[in-house]
Amino acid sequence: MDPALDTWDFSSPLISLWINRFYIYLGFAFGFSLWICFQIVIRKQNKNSPEKTTPKASQNLMTNGYISRPKKEVFVSGVKIFYGSQTGTAKGFATILAEALSSLNLPVAMINLKDYDPDDRLIEEVTSKNVCAFLVATYTDGQPPESAAWFCKWLEEAANDFRFGKTYLKGMRYAVFGLGNSVYLSHFNTVGKNVDKWLWMLGAHRVMTRGEGDGNVVKSKHGSVEADFTAWKTKFISRLQALRKGERKHCGGNCKKGKCESNQRGSEVAEPGSHVQEELPHRDAEDEEPFGSTNEEESDTEDHQSSNPVIDVEDLGKIMDHVKKEKREKEQLEGETSAIRSTVKSEASERRAMITPALREALTKQGYQLIGSHSGVKLCRWTKSMLRGRGGCYKHTFYGIESHRCMETTPSLACANKCVFCWRHHTNPVGTEWRWKMDQPEMILKEAIENHQNMIKQFKGVPGVKEERFEEGMTVKHCALSLVGEPIMYPEINKFLKLLHECKISSFLVTNAQFPAEIRDLKPVTQLYVSVDASTKDSLKKIDRPLFRDFWQRFLDSLKALAAKQQRTVYRLTLVKAWNVDELQAYAELVSLGNPDFIEVKGVTYCGESSASSLTMANVPWHEEVVRFVCELVDLIPDYEVACEHEHSNCLLIAHKKVLLVMEAWHAAIHGVAKSRTQLSN
C-alpha cells in the first residue's frame, strides 16, 4: 500500500464532505429553486386576493420581531338622524331607525330640526364622514312642520343664493324619507322633495333614492306609511353597510352608459389611507338631477328641457326672452281681435305689471316678498345676524343704526342701468321712464312692513336669537331703499317717503345718478346716496352700462343736483379691480362737484358667474387695496378725512371735516325723521 494514503483518514467528516461535495451542491440548488417557486406562488395569490396588502408592509418590521398591521380606514364614522315632526310620526320613525342602526356598532345621534342651527353646523357634515338621514313630514298646504320651518327656509335660501355656490356641501352624504298623504296630491311630500333637492343643489351627495311614505293606504306602495318606512329603512341599512365597506357608488339597476361601475369598482374595498370624499365619483347621469323633482312648476319654459328644474338667476335672461316672445304673440292676437271692437281702453288699463309670472316665481324662490306689481322687500343677512346678537352691517358701524330694526325694500324693481356687478344679473326690468302699472304708496308701505314683520316672526325660537332683539325687530325704525332697482323712478316716491317719516322711520335712499330732475324734486330724506361707480365717461359706460344716450351728462347733473340738496348726502364708490381703481384724480374732481357729506368706498361683491357679465373674483379688491385707495384719495381731497372702517363688508367711510365736528349730533338724529342740513345747523 502507498504510504501517502496512510496519511489520509477516510473516516474524517471533512474528507466525506469533500468527496460528496457535488451532491451537497445539488441539494442546495434544488432547495433554492423550491424557495423561488414558493415565493412566486405566494405573490400571485396576494395579487389576486381581494384583501390587498400594503406594499410597504415588509418595511414595518419591528425590533421585537413582528410586523405592525396598518390602521383600518373608517368610511362611515356615524349616523345623524334629523327629524321634523308635527304629530310625532317622524320622531317615532327616527327612534325606530336609531334602534335598528345600533346593531351596526355605529354612533347614532337623533336631532330635532327645531334645535339645529344649519347656519353654523351643517357645514361640519362635509368632513365628518357621517351619513345624514332626514325624516321630514309635510304639513298643511305643503308647508314644513313648525319644528322644521326655519331649517327649510334657511336651506331654500342657501340653495338659491349664489354666495353659497354649488359645492357648499360637497362631501356631505345624505338620504331623505318624506312623510305625506297622497289624498292631498298637489302637496304630496313637498317638504321631503324640497329638502332632497336643496341639499343636492348645494353639492351634497345623495347615497340612495328618496323614500316617500304615504298615509293614504289605498295608494301606498306597501300598504301604509309604516310599511313604506320599513321598506326604506331596510334599503338604508343595506346601503349603509355597503358604504362602511368602502363601496363608492350605489347601483339602482338602471345604468345609462352601458357599464355598471359598481360591479367593476364598487365591490372592491378601497385602499387604506384614501379619503371617502376623494373616492366619490363625479356626478354622472344618475346624479344629474334631484330624484322625483318633476313638478310642473319647476320645469324649464324653454322647448329643450333642462336637467336642472330650478330657475337659476343666470338662466332668467333666456327665460324672460321666451316669456316676452310668447307675450308678443299673444298681444298680436289680442290686437287683431280688438280691431273689431269699438271700445277704447284707458291708458291706465293698457299698462302692464312690472313683475311677470316668471320673475315673480324666481324672486320668490330667492327669498323676496313681492308687493303689488312693482315692489319688494327682503330680510337682510345683517338683520338676521344682529337678531342673534352678532355684528351689524356697515351702517351700524358708520352711523349707529340698529340692523335688526332695519327694513330693506324698494318701490321699484326697475332700473336704468345694467351694471356688471348687478345682484340680479340684469333679470329685473329696465327702462328710462315709468311705463308700468302703479301701486299706491300706502299699500306698498303697509305690505312692506307686514311682510318684514312676518319674516322676523319666523326667527322666533331659532337657536341664538336674542329675545329682546326679537321684540325690537318687530318695530321698524330704519328703511334702506336700496334692495334692487331704482327707487327714485317710482312716481310717488315723495309721498312714500312722507309716509315713512310719519311712521318715525328713517330713510336711506340710493340712486344711480341718472335722474337729475328727480333728485332735485326729491323731498328731504335721512340720507341720500348717489352711486359713483366710475369717474370717467368711458369707465362709467363700461361698468354701469346705462340705457340713456346722454348718460354722462345726466351723471354730472345728478352730482350737481346733490350738491344743492340741503340734507345729508353720500357718495357710494364701488371699486372694481382693474376697471376703476386707477382714476384717483378724476374721483377727486367729482367729489368737488357734488361736495357730499360722506363718501363710502366699498370693494365690489362678486355675484357669481353670468353670461351677462365678465366679472370674476380677480376683479374683487382685497381690503388692504381698498384701504390704500382711500388713503390716496383723501390726500387729494384735503377737506375730508377717513372716519370709520367695516372690514367684514370691505368698506371704509370718508367724512367731511365739518361733519366730524357735529358727528355726535348727527349720530343722534339718524334715529329720527329726516332733517335738513339747515335744521341741524340751527
Side-chain angles (χ1 to χ4, degrees), residues 56 243 275 278 529:
K56 297 183 179 180
L243 290 173
H275 298 283
E278 296 174 354
Y529 289 79

Side-chain angles (χ1 to χ4, degrees), residues 661-680:
L661 298 176
V662 290
M663 196 66 177
E664 293 183 359
W666 280 14
H667 180 80
I670 196 71
H671 298 282
V673 182
K675 297 181 179 180
S676 67
R677 182 181 299 174
T678 303
Q679 291 173 325
L680 287 171

Side-chain angles (χ1 to χ4, degrees), residues 258-482:
K259 297 180 180 179
C260 184
E261 296 181 357
S262 59
N263 291 336
Q264 299 173 5
R265 299 178 298 174
S267 59
E268 297 179 3
V269 178
E271 296 183 11
S274 60
H275 298 283
V276 175
Q277 286 78 6
E278 296 174 354
E279 293 175 346
L280 294 175
H282 295 291
R283 296 186 176 196
D284 56 359
E286 182 183 351
D287 203 23
E288 281 297 323
E289 60 181 3
F291 287 95
S293 296
T294 56
N295 296 341
E296 294 180 2
E297 67 271 15
E298 296 171 356
S299 301
D300 198 327
T301 58
E302 296 182 63
D303 293 336
H304 60 283
Q305 296 295 326
S306 170
S307 61
N308 189 348
V310 181
I311 301 175
D312 289 334
V313 173
E314 294 86 350
D315 298 328
L316 279 176
K318 296 180 179 179
I319 296 173
M320 293 298 295
D321 290 340
H322 183 78
V323 172
K324 289 179 180 178
K325 181 179 179 181
E326 290 183 345
K327 185 168 288 188
R328 283 195 299 267
E329 294 174 353
K330 183 178 179 181
E331 287 176 350
Q332 290 176 358
L333 181 61
E334 291 178 351
E336 295 173 357
T337 305
S338 62
I340 305 174
R341 302 173 182 173
S342 58
T343 58
V344 179
K345 296 183 179 180
S346 65
E347 181 181 353
S349 62
E350 290 175 354
R351 293 194 174 187
R352 297 172 296 175
M354 181 184 296
I355 304 176
T356 63
L359 183 60
R360 180 178 295 274
E361 181 181 0
L363 292 177
T364 301
K365 286 184 178 180
Q366 295 174 37
Y368 285 81
Q369 298 295 319
L370 300 179
I371 304 166
S373 62
H374 54 75
S375 307
V377 62
K378 187 179 182 181
L379 207 60
C380 175
R381 61 184 291 256
W382 291 109
T383 301
K384 303 174 186 178
S385 175
M386 210 160 187
L387 283 172
R388 292 175 162 181
R390 303 175 183 177
C393 70
Y394 72 90
K395 291 189 184 73
H396 171 71
T397 303
F398 292 173
Y399 313 114
I401 76 162
E402 300 166 298
S403 301
H404 64 296
R405 307 183 77 176
C406 181
M407 175 178 69
E408 190 175 22
T409 185
T410 180
S412 171
L413 293 167
C415 187
N417 288 347
K418 294 185 177 181
C419 303
V420 294
F421 47 78
C422 177
W423 285 60
R424 299 277 61 80
H425 294 283
H426 322 124
T427 55
N428 54 308
V430 292
T432 57
E433 62 180 357
W434 190 270
R435 50 184 174 82
W436 300 276
K437 291 181 180 179
M438 189 184 70
D439 300 325
Q440 294 303 309
E442 293 85 357
M443 183 273 289
I444 296 175
L445 179 59
K446 179 177 178 293
E447 293 194 15
I449 295 176
E450 290 178 353
N451 282 315
H452 178 81
Q453 290 174 336
N454 289 335
M455 288 186 287
I456 294 290
K457 288 179 182 178
Q458 294 176 7
F459 278 79
K460 188 173 184 178
V462 171
V465 171
K466 305 294 183 181
E467 183 176 354
E468 64 277 8
R469 291 196 175 179
F470 175 82
E471 295 297 331
E472 291 174 350
M474 294 299 294
T475 303
V476 178
K477 297 297 292 182
H478 316 287
C479 179
L481 295 166
S482 59

Side-chain angles (χ1 to χ4, degrees), residues 20-52:
N20 298 301
R21 62 185 181 277
F22 297 105
Y23 297 105
I24 295 174
Y25 294 159
L26 182 63
F28 272 115
F30 182 73
F32 185 71
S33 300
L34 286 178
W35 182 82
I36 291 176
C37 294
F38 179 75
Q39 291 296 325
I40 292 174
V41 172
I42 292 297
R43 291 194 178 189
K44 286 186 176 180
Q45 289 179 350
N46 290 342
K47 186 176 181 180
N48 297 328
S49 174
E51 298 290 338
K52 295 185 179 180

